[in-house]
Amino acid sequence: MFKLFGKSKPVKIRSCNENRKYGVAAKDVKELLKKGCKLLQLPLSGAQVCLYSDGTRVTEEFFKTLPDNTELVLLSKQQTWSGVVCDIGQLLDTDQHASGLIEAAKGLLSDETSPKKRKILTDLLLNLEDRSELETRDEDEDWFTGIDTRFKTKSAYMKFNCESRIRGYLKEVNGATKDLRTAKARAEFLKTSNHLAEMLKSARYNGCYFDRTEKEPNRLCTREGWFTCQGSFDLDLCQSLHSINPYGSRESRILFSTWNLDHRIEKKRTIIPTLVDTLQNHKSTDIDLSYFYRLLFTRENLKLVHIVCHKKGAHDLLCDTKKIFKQTRNTDKGKQTARGRKRRLR
C-alpha cells in the first residue's frame, strides 16, 4: 500500500559506483536528492535518481507511486545508469575475488531484481567458457585468481569454502554465551559448544558438501560440479530450477558465493535460543547434542538455495521438544524391567 503524499517514503539508495545501499526517507524527489547527495557526497547540481532495476528516471509524480523500500540509484550530472546490466558488466570485468564483488552479485540477484534482468545475467553466465573438466591451478589459472596459493585444486578450495560457512555457524553458537544469566549455565554452555566443535572436527566440518570428488551421498553436486537449488525452506523443490557450476569458471565461482546454506528451522531465531533456554536449567549431559548438531550443521536441516529462493522472513518452524533431551530414563527403566523378567523366567 502506497503512502499518502506529504508523508516521508522510505527508499534504498546507492551510487552507480558502489554496491552499498542506504535507507533514506523523503517526502519528494527534491528532498531525496538533497539527502542522498549529502550522504553519498555527490554534487547536488544536475543530480537525478533512477530505478536500479531498469534505469527509469524518477520524477516527482513517479516518486509518489513507488512502493516503500524501492531500490534507487543516485547519479551526478555526467553519470548514466541503464539498469542491472551495468552491474553485470562491472562484475564480469573484475579480476578480484573480493567481498565487494560478492555483495555486487547479491545485489544482482536480489528479490528486487526483475526476472528479465536475472535472465540476462543467467544467459551471460551460460555463454562463458565452461572449464569444469579442468581441476588444478596449472590447468586453469584464471579460476584461481584471488585465491590463496595453498589451494592447488578446485575441489580443495570448494571444500574449504563449505568448511568456512559451517565454521561460521559454530562461531555464532559460541557467541550466544553472553545470553546466559548465570556462571553455572555459561559453564554448561561451554561444555556444549566444545562438544559440538569436536563433533564437527571429526566430520571435517562437512566440507564434503561442496567437494565434487566426494562420494555421491556426501556431496551436494554432480561429479562435474553442478549444484541445483533445493528450493525455499517451505518447498520441496526449486520452482525456478536454479542451477550453477562454480567449477566451470571464475565468474560462476564468485556468484556461487551468493548461494546460501539455509536452515529450515532457523539458526538465529530458533535453534540457538532453544539451546540457550534449555541450558538455563539443565545440564549439558541431559541434552541430546546430536540433535542440535544435526540441526545446525548437517543436511538434515540445511538446504542449498539460490539467493532468490532464500526467504529471509520468519520460518515459523520449531525444534522438536521430544528430541531435545536424551531418552535415558525410559531406556534404563526398560532395561530394569527386562532384567526382572529374566529373573522370573529362571
Side-chain angles (χ1 to χ4, degrees), residues 95-97 137 140-147 250 253:
D95 286 328
Q96 297 299 318
H97 184 218
R137 182 181 287 269
D140 192 357
E141 291 184 5
D142 181 67
W143 193 92
F144 288 87
T145 301
I147 294 178
R250 173 177 54 85
R253 167 176 63 77

Side-chain angles (χ1 to χ4, degrees), residues 60-204:
E60 291 288 1
E61 290 300 316
F62 187 26
F63 182 77
K64 300 175 189 177
T65 67
L66 294 179
D68 288 354
N69 297 311
T70 296
E71 188 171 349
L72 305 174
V73 178
L74 178 61
L75 303 172
S76 62
K77 188 175 182 179
Q78 303 299 327
Q79 292 176 325
T80 59
W81 182 261
S82 54
V84 70
V85 176
C86 292
D87 262 352
I88 295 172
Q90 292 173 16
L91 178 66
L92 298 183
D93 286 341
T94 303
D95 286 328
Q96 297 299 318
H97 184 218
S99 58
L101 182 56
I102 300 305
E103 292 303 315
K106 288 180 179 179
L108 296 178
L109 299 169
S110 68
D111 291 334
E112 297 168 8
T113 306
S114 69
K116 180 179 178 181
K117 302 301 180 182
R118 284 200 294 269
K119 186 177 185 303
I120 293 174
L121 177 57
T122 302
D123 290 344
L124 279 169
L125 289 174
L126 289 175
N127 289 327
L128 292 171
E129 181 185 358
D130 183 8
R131 300 188 299 276
S132 58
E133 75 281 0
L134 306 179
E135 172 68 9
T136 68
R137 182 181 287 269
D138 291 337
E139 292 173 331
D140 192 357
E141 291 184 5
D142 181 67
W143 193 92
F144 288 87
T145 301
I147 294 178
D148 193 289
T149 55
R150 75 178 186 273
F151 297 105
K152 306 302 181 183
T153 67
K154 295 178 180 179
S155 297
Y157 174 76
M158 292 299 296
K159 184 176 183 178
F160 170 78
N161 183 286
C162 187
E163 290 174 355
S164 297
R165 299 191 191 204
I166 302 294
R167 287 174 188 268
Y169 305 155
L170 180 62
K171 187 176 181 180
E172 290 182 57
V173 173
N174 295 336
T177 308
K178 62 182 183 300
D179 298 326
L180 290 148
R181 295 189 296 269
T182 65
K184 182 178 180 181
R186 285 192 290 273
E188 289 298 325
F189 192 86
L190 181 60
K191 294 179 185 178
T192 298
S193 61
N194 287 339
H195 187 68
L196 290 172
E198 286 300 317
M199 295 172 73
L200 259 184
K201 185 177 179 180
S202 65
R204 298 183 180 180

Side-chain angles (χ1 to χ4, degrees), residues 35 38 121 308:
K35 289 184 175 181
K38 183 178 180 181
L121 177 57
V308 173

Side-chain angles (χ1 to χ4, degrees), residues 19 59 94 153 183 185 202 246 252 255 276-277 327 336:
N19 223 16
T59 62
T94 303
T153 67
S202 65
S252 294
L255 284 177
V276 168
D277 290 343
Q327 303 299 317
Q336 291 172 5

Side-chain angles (χ1 to χ4, degrees), residues 320-336:
D320 189 340
T321 55
K322 296 179 181 179
K323 297 181 179 180
I324 291 176
F325 296 100
K326 294 178 180 177
Q327 303 299 317
T328 53
R329 293 179 181 177
N330 291 336
T331 303
D332 291 342
K333 185 177 180 181
K335 289 180 179 178
Q336 291 172 5

